[in-house]
Amino acid sequence: MGVMLVLMLPLLLLGISGLLFIYQEVSRLWSKSAVQNKVVVITDALSELGKECARLFHTGGARLVLCGKNWEKLESLYDSLISVADPSKTFTPKLVLLDLSDISCVQDVAKEVLDCYGCVDILINNASVKVKGPAHKISLELDRKIMNANYLGPITLTKVLLPNMISRRTGQIVLVNSIQGKFGLPFRTAYAASKHAALGFFDCLRAEVEEYDVVVSTVSPVFIRSHHAHPERGNWSASIWKFFSRKLTQGEHPVEVAEEVMSTVRRRKQEVLMANPIPRAAVYIRALFPEFFFAVVACGVKDRLSVPGEG
C-alpha cells in the first residue's frame, strides 16, 4: 500500500500541474477575447501600471488609446508595444496628450477619441498624483492640483464618455483607486481626500448606470510600488504602529495590479481590494472600532515625530 502511494504521488502532482497549466491558458485566452476589438482608453499610460495595462490589453487585441503628459515617452511606449506584438492580431495604438489636472483640455480629448473610434468600450481611470506632508504645510494650490488630477479630471473624462456608453447600453469604467479611499493615513490629507471623493463618486455612479448595462469597477491596492522598490527600512522605536505600518505599506507590483485590472474587466467585477490581511483588517477596524484605529494611527505619528530628522 505504501509503495503504491509513493508511485502515485508523482502522478498526482503531475496531474495537478497539468490542470493548473490548462486553467492558466484558458484564463489567458478568455482575457484576450474579453478585450479583443474593444476600444480601451488608459489614462496615465506612462506610469508603471499604465505601461503594464497597455501591454496586456494590446496583446489582447484591444484598440488602445494611450494618454499621457509627455509625447516623447508616449512614442517610446508605442514603439515598445509594436515591436513585441503580432501586427496581424493587434491594432495600432492611438496616442493622446492628456494632463488630467488641466480640466479645460479633458473634454476636448474625450471628443477627439469619440470622433476617432465612435465609441469607448472600456475606460481605465489610472492617473494619480501623490503628495506627502503635514496638512498645514501643504498649500491650497497643491490641494487643488491633487483634487483636479485624482478626482475632477477622471470624473470629467467619465462624464463626457458616459452618454455614449448609455446610448449603446454597454461599457465598463474602471477606477484604479487606493485603499486610502477607504481610510486616511497621516501626512496624506490631500491624497486621501481625493481618493475618498473619487470612490464616493464612482460608487454612486455604479448604481445609476446599472440599468444601462454599464459596469463601474474600482480596483484599490494598498499602493503600487515601482519595479525596483525595496522594503522600507526605518529606525522607528518598537511599537504596535511599527508592525501595523510596515504591513500596511507592502504595496502591489504593477504587473500584479495590471493582471487584476484585466481580470476585473473580464469578470465585470464591481469592487476589488488588493491588500494583504493587515491592511484588509484595517478597513474593518476603521469601520467597527474607530477609536482603536485612530489611537494606533496617532501612536505612529508620535513615534515618527520623536525620531531625529523625521520632523
Side-chain angles (χ1 to χ4, degrees), residues 47-188:
S47 66
E48 296 285 358
L49 174 58
K51 291 176 183 177
E52 293 299 335
C53 285
R55 179 183 60 81
L56 278 179
F57 282 83
H58 181 65
T59 56
R63 300 174 186 265
L64 281 184
V65 180
L66 304 176
C67 306
K69 294 186 285 188
N70 185 296
W71 187 257
E72 288 75 20
K73 291 182 179 180
L74 280 173
E75 288 183 325
S76 177
L77 175 59
Y78 173 94
D79 292 338
S80 68
L81 293 175
I82 295 299
S83 63
V84 298
D86 184 348
S88 66
K89 298 179 181 179
T90 57
F91 296 94
T92 303
K94 176 179 175 60
L95 306 181
V96 175
L97 276 175
L98 174 62
D99 181 359
L100 281 177
S101 62
D102 183 4
I103 306 300
S104 61
C105 72
V106 174
Q107 292 190 9
D108 293 335
V109 168
K111 291 175 181 177
E112 177 186 346
V113 173
L114 290 176
D115 289 341
C116 178
Y117 288 111
C119 70
V120 169
D121 297 297
I122 301 166
L123 168 61
I124 300 175
N125 282 309
N126 167 54
S128 183
V129 176
K130 300 178 178 66
V131 65
K132 183 178 179 182
H136 65 281
K137 292 187 177 181
I138 295 177
S139 67
L140 284 174
E141 184 59 35
L142 185 52
D143 282 331
R144 291 189 189 98
K145 182 178 180 180
I146 298 297
M147 191 61 74
N148 283 346
N150 295 352
Y151 173 67
L152 290 174
I155 74 165
T156 301
L157 182 60
T158 298
K159 284 188 172 187
V160 179
L161 297 177
L162 187 59
N164 180 271
M165 293 183 177
I166 290 175
S167 65
R168 296 170 58 236
R169 301 189 70 86
T170 184
Q172 185 167 4
I173 300 165
V174 180
L175 171 69
V176 180
N177 206 45
S178 167
I179 198 172
Q180 291 192 55
K182 299 285 190 179
F183 61 81
L185 292 176
F187 308 112
R188 294 169 176 84

Side-chain angles (χ1 to χ4, degrees), residues 178-224:
S178 167
I179 198 172
Q180 291 192 55
K182 299 285 190 179
F183 61 81
L185 292 176
F187 308 112
R188 294 169 176 84
T189 50
Y191 179 72
S194 66
K195 293 301 181 180
H196 272 74
L199 186 63
F201 177 89
F202 285 97
D203 278 354
C204 294
L205 183 65
R206 179 182 296 115
E208 292 182 19
V209 300
E210 183 178 3
E211 63 176 305
Y212 303 108
D213 293 326
V214 176
V215 178
V216 176
S217 307
T218 57
V219 178
S220 300
V222 175
F223 76 91
I224 303 170

